[in-house]
Amino acid sequence: MNWMIDTNVILDVLLKREHFFETSSAVLRQCENREVQGYVSASAVTDIFYLTRKALGSIDETYRLIDALLNTVRVLTVTNEDVLNALQMKARDFEDCLLATCAKSNRCEGIVTRNKKDFLSFDIPLFTPEEFLERK
């Protein structure tokens, strides 16, 4: 099963965010153990890198964390068609729209996110980390 992992779930783990680290980490552990295939979009990787480097203040540590992340999840290419489809939707949050468009075009089962409300208009199944861990 293929799942798009939202940026906020990745950042919960990389930045060890209180209250969210445990469940988000369990999601990534399922990806790491190959129980499911987790994906991030190519465009999300740059955001994750930037936000992690800014929060940690260390480019070396950021590279180490991104390397570990990319051994856990795979990167989906954002195509020209994905961008055009997202633009046509004129969504309030283009980044979320592009992530959802990419997930749908790559036939992901859904998106794991802490912010389901940000994706409600994109017609794709949404799971919080807690809901994702309870599924089956």
Side-chain angles (χ1 to χ4, degrees):
M1 295 182 84
N2 299 325
W3 295 88
M4 181 68 82
I5 311 298
D6 192 14
T7 301
N8 57 46
V9 175
I10 302 291
L11 291 173
D12 291 344
V13 176
L14 297 184
L15 302 179
K16 297 181 180 167
R17 292 175 170 166
E18 264 187 72
H19 308 294
F20 305 117
F21 176 79
E22 197 171 306
T23 54
S24 293
S25 184
V27 169
L28 290 186
R29 237 184 337 276
Q30 284 194 11
C31 299
E32 184 175 39
N33 296 336
R34 302 298 184 234
E35 297 169 45
V36 299
Q37 180 59 66
Y39 291 99
V40 293
S41 71
S43 58
V45 174
T46 59
D47 296 337
I48 293 165
F49 189 96
Y50 172 79
L51 293 168
T52 301
R53 182 177 52 87
K54 187 174 178 185
L56 298 179
S58 169
I59 196 159
D60 292 334
E61 180 65 5
T62 301
Y63 272 112
R64 187 188 71 69
L65 290 171
I66 297 297
D67 185 54
L69 172 66
L70 297 181
N71 285 311
T72 301
V73 298
R74 298 188 67 197
V75 178
L76 290 176
T77 302
V78 177
T79 67
N80 185 66
E81 186 174 330
D82 291 333
V83 174
L84 292 175
N85 287 338
L87 279 171
Q88 287 178 349
M89 294 182 77
K90 297 191 184 325
R92 179 168 233 138
D93 187 324
F94 183 74
E95 180 183 352
D96 289 340
C97 183
L98 186 57
L99 188 134
T101 300
C102 184
K104 287 172 71 171
S105 71
N106 284 279
R107 295 180 175 82
C108 289
E109 303 294 325
I111 298 172
V112 182
T113 181
R114 279 191 298 98
N115 298 318
K116 288 170 64 172
K117 65 177 174 33
D118 294 346
F119 294 95
L120 292 176
S121 63
F122 302 126
D123 191 34
I124 188 165
L126 304 168
F127 294 80
T128 64
E130 294 80 7
E131 292 167 340
F132 176 82
L133 296 169
E134 293 172 0
R135 80 194 191 299
K136 297 214 189 210

